[in-house]
Amino acid sequence: MSTTQFLLAFFILCAAGAILPFLTPQRWLTILLAAIGSLAALVVLVVSAMLLAFGAEFHVTLWPVLTLGTLTLETDPLSAFFLFVTALVFLPVSIFSGTYLTKYLTHHDVRYFSLLYHALFASIVLVLIAGDVISFLVAWELMSIASYLLVNYEFERAESSRAGYVMLAMSEGGTIAVAIAFIMIAGATGGFGFSELRSVAPTVTDALRWAIFLLSFFGFAVKAGLIPFNSWLPLAHPVAPTNVSALLSAVIVNLGIYGIVRVNLDLAPTTGAAPGLIVLVIGSLSALIGILYATIQGEMKRLLAHSTIENMGIVAAGIGAAMVFVASGHQVVGAIALIAALYHLANHSVYKALLFIGTGAVEAGTGTRDLDRLGGIIHGMPWTSAFFLIGVLSIAALPPFNGFVSEWLTLQTMLRSAVLSSTVIKTIFAICGALLALTAGLAITCFVKVFAMGFLGMSRSQAAAEAREAHVGTRTSLALLAVLCVLLGVLPTYVIPVIDRAVVPLAHESATAALVPPFFTANAQQPENLPAPFLSEFHDLGAQVGREFLPGRGLVVLHRGEERNPVVFAMSTSYMLVALAGILVLIFVAFRLLTRYRGLARAAAWDGGLRHLSPGLTYTATGFSNPVRVIFAALLHPAADEGSTEAVAVHFRTAIRREYTEVHIIDRFVVQPPITILRNLAEVARRMHVGHVNAYAAYVLLALLLVLIVGVGLL
Amino acid sequence: MANWVLKGLRTGVKSSAYPNRPDDAPGVSPGRPMGTRLKSPTAADELVARCPTQAIARENGGIAIDQGRCIHCSRCRRHVGEAAAWEPGYEWAAQTSDAATALRKLAGMFGRSLHVRFVDAGACGACMSEARQINNPYYNMHRLGFFITPSPRSADILLVAGPVSDAMRLPLRKTYDAMPTPKRVVAVGACAASGGVFGPSFAALGGAAEIIPVDVVVPGCPPPPLAILHGLLVAVERKPPSALVSAAPRPTTGSA
């Protein structure tokens, strides 16, 4: 079957998923959604694999639209990569939805959900395969509206409606900016096809180029959740159904990144370092601010939403670095940076989907998402906890899991700024690298908190103590994602060449040779671009281990420098996994040997000699993250509200209650001031409305007079 | 002051020389009664009656002192008639004969790095006040390789003071259980050794040995800092122990 037939099958499946629920009995609804959704995801997986790995082509010309040119659908490796990531998330999320949605069966219309779900999937795929501006914008709007309706699924709740409204408003603002940017590029030519835009882009003036960059970057940044347009994420995620939250964080924000890459590296590549630096700085700040607010959150979904801002910041920083490198003529380093960014994007999608589904499982098992009320649920939900742990280790960027590989690559490319000539740019890179390193450190604090406070220790509520293991469907989707986390982590040398295919058209250079040296295929006789002494040295280290039974180029990620500095950076999570497993076995054996002839005393953990250790005495999530809250108090600027409800007399209080509320730094400095100004203006304008009919008649008369005067003056 | 280094050098070492040389500085010990031979046959009865803690027992021809009960009230020393003999020293720590001791031996294992966990099991505060002194520059326990630790998980020696009140019963037991073997227990003061003036009562057990195995007893009410140091040294077998009951000296044949 050709790719066209496959994609047609996909759209037919989506249509079936949207329509069939209206013809099926209630009890089959969720199963139907899970079946059709995962089947559609499988089809997209196959298509994108064909496009990405086997070099298949896809190009369909649809009907022409009056004055706007012909609608076309086409893919390139970049869109194939995003398609693959999208389908990779949709598959487990669809499986999870099959069990998750049963809770809505009694008081919500799941048929409506199914319609929107498949419409969303279809519109996302359409965004990614759109070959011209019109179909892109139409699909983009469809996607925005479908995602808004899904977030607002529990529309009877006020906070859902409010969050959905904020999300829609911001998204539409972004779309307008993007549309203007597209029209600016298209203004130079008559057509709206991407290929026409590409050909005309090199001829546009610098001022126009800047306008296009700023409008498209900030327009797409709204979807990507970068600062200063991040406000919708922490609002929308907690109120959306959990499978929709997973899609928001793991798929929809990716589309923002897709837009940024598509416009600023493909259609109208930026020139000069400044645009790239803007993306880099915004990305790094998003990362830091995102993780800072994630660390102090106690509600799991809101925490994950802030963490999405962080991860998108890391991706944007990688893209910004790639833009700078490519624009300054360092194509290979640019390609490495872009690979790092796209790799991180894929990793983030996988582990964030895992964490959201895990959160959904925890909520289903305990009825709460508040870390301060959870604790000890590993006893009730061992499988969910194990999979969640893998997700946590991945997002905390610990080797050998996937987050480590991409964050490590991103940080390494920051250090590669040494190849640039300008000191100012190098300084900016150094500062952004430091911000990203701080982010990585805080991410560990944040996710140690999530796992330790949520899953370990003593249960802080009755619900947590009685946690029930998740449904087998949920566990299947979690297992799928956990396996992906491990595979993406331990097999980077197989992932990088695939992403490289998507990167080559943008960076104009392949980075496979620069990142994955052919230790498996090269030998001392035929060095394949590797100097013989270099090769033999690495053979001594064991870089060729596994060549007999493994395909591919090798298992070591290594960037080779010049003569003086042969290895710029190198690591291998594959061998690390083997070594870690070996160390684990060694520790176990040593432990058994040492305790063989000795008695093993088992005593209760030291609790300070308490008569009875109660959950109220143990560390809470709030307590765990409080040092971060104190250290960054200047940035977080918490407003303390001290009150006392228990008092014997005025000056004899028996209990003091102190509450801290943080208004997000972006809300405080970027969102609130314009709102305040508008409110004040409205307050001034309100004075006109005195409530007397005579006054309004006077206004009409005055307006008429004004019009007449102006009209006479003009004539 | 900027010249504190100079001042320190001028002052020189002021720490106690114990255990290398005996410390004879005035006031390092209140002293304690010893077993005494008495001439008058009624004197022993009078002394037994005068003792508020039943530390004095009649022995043929004199009295014996159970140091674990004595609180140095000096009533036996200030007796108008024949008084008890008074010993000015401070090496008072005695070993108890506990069957489990062999298993918990510390000697040689952590020669110069012993971590001590101090538990106040209902003490009046005097023992704590004295025990705190071994951490000061004069007695300076660190020069002997003893360190205070806040967690029993890293402690080798458990220092207990107080008669083990009901409230402290479980915490003391838990502390002992939380300590890794090999470990030793040093009971400080008359209360921890025997219940002291509190004795076994409705609110106290009457000694640490009632719930955990005690290896070394440091008598005194409170024992002076040097006696506590001696107790620690006895616990790790760096000093010979003294006897818990000081019997009356045997009559030397010929002189009597």
Side-chain angles (χ1 to χ4, degrees), chain A residues 603-604 606-607 609-611, chain B residues 152 167 170-171 174-175 178:
Chain A
W606 173 239
D607 54 10
L610 290 167
R611 194 161 294 272
Chain B
L170 184 73
K174 276 191 155 183
T175 310

Side-chain angles (χ1 to χ4, degrees), chain A residues 46-58:
Chain A
V46 171
V47 173
S48 48
M50 282 162 73
L51 291 166
L52 194 58
F54 303 107
E57 299 272 326
F58 173 73

Side-chain angles (χ1 to χ4, degrees), chain A residues 296 622 626 629-630 633 637-642 657-663:
Chain A
I296 61 168
T622 312
N626 210 41
R629 203 175 278 121
V630 171
H637 200 72
D641 177 28
E642 191 174 299
R657 182 182 176 81
R658 186 176 288 145
E659 268 182 54
Y660 289 100
T661 39
E662 284 103 3
V663 178

